Amino acid sequence: MCTGSGCIAISVLKTLYETKKIPLERLPKFTLVDISDKALEIARKNAESLLDTVKNGGSAKLLERVRFIQSNLFEQLPYQFDAVLTNPPYVPSSLTDELLKDGRSEPRLALDGDITITGDHADSDDGLEIIRNLMPQIYDHTVFGGFFLMETGEYNMRGAENLSYRAGFRHSRVFNDLEDQERVLYGEKYN
């Protein structure tokens, strides 16, 4: 969800195949979802390019494990998933302009977490508006026994964790990035 360039899903798929040696027929299927058709086009090109470098002639089969869907969060997804990997916009609006000054090629849409589901600017400035809408949708679209992994910022990790708990997820864990900043939130769905 909120796949952007597709780097997370492509990396996980390629790692499962090449490093973990999971046979092609046992690999999970990946659905790369983004609201932006431009982002999905980049993700599609990255998948074709990066998965094409896979050894042993498995690239065509790996590409068959990936599909692309344009959707505003789960709006176009009527089914459930075993796992949801997501990198939603989570930067507070007040920090987004500052980040864009450093020459990043990402659009505001990919960073600003204070945009509502309808595309308006929220009253909040905590970077959690999209996550407020996303977390209950992840819960509804995750099978019992499934889980999610979400990238978010060190400045709003505890808020995101609280939102996951309120949505119904349990057994949350927070993982730090290489600079020891809180970066990835994990939660499980149990009845």
Side-chain angles (χ1 to χ4, degrees):
M1 182 56 61
C2 304
T3 196
S5 67
C7 62
I8 294 172
I10 295 166
S11 297
V12 170
L13 178 57
K14 196 168 179 176
T15 298
L16 291 174
Y17 182 68
E18 289 184 342
T19 307
K20 301 295 182 186
K21 307 295 185 201
I22 296 176
L24 282 166
E25 64 277 2
R26 298 202 56 218
L27 286 171
K29 294 182 179 177
F30 286 78
T31 302
L32 281 65
V33 181
D34 205 286
I35 192 171
S36 167
D37 60 335
K38 290 179 183 176
L40 285 173
E41 185 56 34
I42 291 169
R44 192 175 283 108
K45 288 178 182 176
N46 284 339
E48 290 168 358
S49 173
L50 295 169
L51 296 177
D52 193 39
T53 64
V54 174
K55 300 172 185 79
N56 303 326
S59 63
K61 297 287 185 187
L62 278 179
L63 283 172
E64 291 174 9
R65 314 270 330 150
V66 180
R67 65 179 164 179
F68 303 87
I69 297 178
Q70 184 177 3
S71 180
N72 188 352
L73 303 180
F74 284 89
E75 192 174 83
Q76 302 297 319
L77 302 167
Y79 30 80
Q80 291 190 310
F81 299 90
D82 296 314
V84 175
L85 309 175
T86 184
N87 185 8
Y90 57 80
V91 178
S93 284
S94 60
L95 296 177
T96 300
D97 288 329
E98 208 50 45
L99 287 175
L100 290 172
K101 287 180 186 174
D102 74 3
R104 293 170 193 251
S105 60
E106 295 166 285
R108 173 177 286 282
L109 181 67
L111 298 174
D112 193 337
D114 290 317
I115 303 298
T116 67
I117 199 161
T118 59
D120 300 314
H121 193 274
D123 293 334
S124 61
D125 188 35
D126 58 6
L128 292 171
E129 184 63 25
I130 291 174
I131 296 171
R132 280 185 193 90
N133 287 289
L134 178 59
M135 197 58 70
Q137 291 184 42
I138 293 175
Y139 188 84
D140 290 344
H141 288 85
T142 302
V143 300
F144 284 107
F147 67 92
F148 78 89
L149 286 162
M150 173 187 289
E151 179 178 331
T152 192
E154 67 279 3
Y155 34 77
N156 57 19
M157 177 62 74
R158 296 305 161 188
E161 185 176 31
N162 183 44
L163 290 168
S164 76
Y165 185 79
R166 287 179 26 204
F169 287 103
R170 299 296 179 259
H171 307 293
S172 68
R173 289 185 60 196
V174 174
F175 297 94
N176 292 3
D177 63 16
L178 296 176
E179 294 190 13
D180 207 31
Q181 297 289 325
E182 292 184 330
R183 187 65 59 212
V184 177
L185 176 62
Y186 168 85
E188 299 173 356
K189 181 176 179 178
Y190 289 101
N191 52 359

